[in-house]
């Protein structure tokens, strides 16, 4: 039997941004501009991590903590590496960080059509707490707001 690939989590770095921009463009109808990642890398309130396989970035997460809230802003995994636990690992790492930062709850928005992401968040214990109508400017789609109480 072939050994499973070894993914590991690393700090996001400027040198990863070319790879991250490629993933971002594949994963979202409207990609974050590179400058947004650059700003997040400089911001003291940002939590930015990548999942790597050797030198290759296969996924990433970007989040903030503000007072007692942790907010997940962006998470993506390259399509060919999905359903291998990478998204769950990145989220778990992020939730551990929220817990260490004394956040009391985690919040995120997700497109109503994004069943895979919704299932991931539900697996981690997030619950839907509301809808933001027309939240996504590109498609006009609603966002489901999901929350997890941090223990
Ligand atoms: C959402 C996303 C990050 C999930 O990443 P992933 O690495 O494939 O997720 P994981 O392999 O860690 O999945 C963990 C669990 O989430 C659930 N899940 C993930 N993707 C799913 C899918 N497409 N359908 C159903 N359940 C899914 C499952 O419960 C899964 O556990 P299992 O494989 O043991 O059944 C990935 O699909 C992605 O990058 N999507 C495009 C970008 C995006 O939509 N980001 C979220 C914006 S809010």
């Amino acid at each position: 039997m072939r050994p499973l690939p070894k993914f590991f989590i690393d700090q996001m770095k400027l040198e990863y941004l070319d790879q991250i921009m490629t993933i971002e463009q594949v994963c979202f109808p409207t990609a974050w501009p590179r400058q947004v990642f650059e700003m997040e890398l400089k911001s003291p309130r940002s939590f930015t991590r990548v999942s790597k396989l050797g030198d290759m970035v296969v996924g990433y997460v970007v989040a903030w903590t503000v007072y007692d809230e942790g907010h997940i802003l962006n998470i993506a995994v390259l399509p060919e590496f999905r359903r291998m636990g990478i998204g769950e690992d990145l989220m778990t790492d992020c939730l551990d960080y929220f817990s260490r930062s004394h956040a009391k709850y985690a919040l995120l928005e997700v497109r109503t059509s994004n069943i895979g992401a919704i299932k991931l968040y539900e697996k981690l214990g997030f619950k839907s707490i509301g809808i933001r109508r027309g939240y996504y400017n590109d498609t006009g789609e609603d966002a489901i707001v999901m929350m997890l109480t941090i223990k």
Side-chain angles (χ1 to χ4, degrees):
M1 211 198 309
R2 256 197 268 166
L4 284 169
K6 287 215 181 348
F7 302 104
F8 64 97
I9 292 181
D10 192 7
Q11 307 267 8
M12 191 181 281
K13 296 172 189 152
L14 268 180
E15 71 206 63
Y16 299 151
L17 284 193
D18 286 347
Q19 293 189 72
I20 287 169
M21 286 311 300
T22 304
I23 301 174
E24 181 74 12
Q25 278 150 12
V26 169
C27 289
F28 296 104
T30 306
W32 273 13
R34 191 183 181 98
Q35 298 91 292
V36 174
F37 285 100
E38 288 169 352
M39 275 182 342
E40 294 301 335
L41 280 173
K42 285 187 200 146
S43 167
R45 68 180 176 182
S46 284
F47 173 86
T48 55
R49 294 287 185 274
V50 296
S51 175
K52 293 184 74 189
L53 178 63
D55 288 336
M56 185 185 187
V57 175
V58 294
Y60 51 85
V61 63
V62 178
W64 281 352
T65 47
V66 185
Y67 302 108
D68 52 1
E69 176 183 330
H71 203 114
I72 291 113
L73 301 170
N74 196 343
I75 177 165
V77 173
L78 264 177
E80 53 272 42
F81 288 95
R82 289 188 190 157
R83 299 307 289 269
M84 296 182 185
I86 296 169
E88 189 171 342
D89 277 356
L90 285 165
M91 283 294 296
T92 303
D93 195 51
C94 183
L95 294 172
D96 285 349
Y97 167 74
F98 288 168
S99 179
R100 289 196 304 279
S101 308
H102 308 291
K104 295 198 169 56
Y105 59 98
L107 274 186
L108 58 82
E109 287 88 16
V110 56
R111 289 174 197 261
T112 48
S113 63
N114 196 347
I115 304 302
I118 293 167
K119 294 275 181 216
L120 166 62
Y121 304 141
E122 285 175 347
K123 184 173 182 184
L124 293 165
F126 280 82
K127 304 264 187 265
S128 302
I129 57 160
I131 298 280
R132 294 195 208 280
R133 297 274 169 221
Y135 181 78
Y136 295 98
N137 288 331
D138 49 6
T139 58
E141 193 171 351
D142 298 342
I144 302 174
V145 183
M146 300 187 80
M147 190 178 98
L148 172 74
T149 303
I150 309 230
K151 300 199 181 82

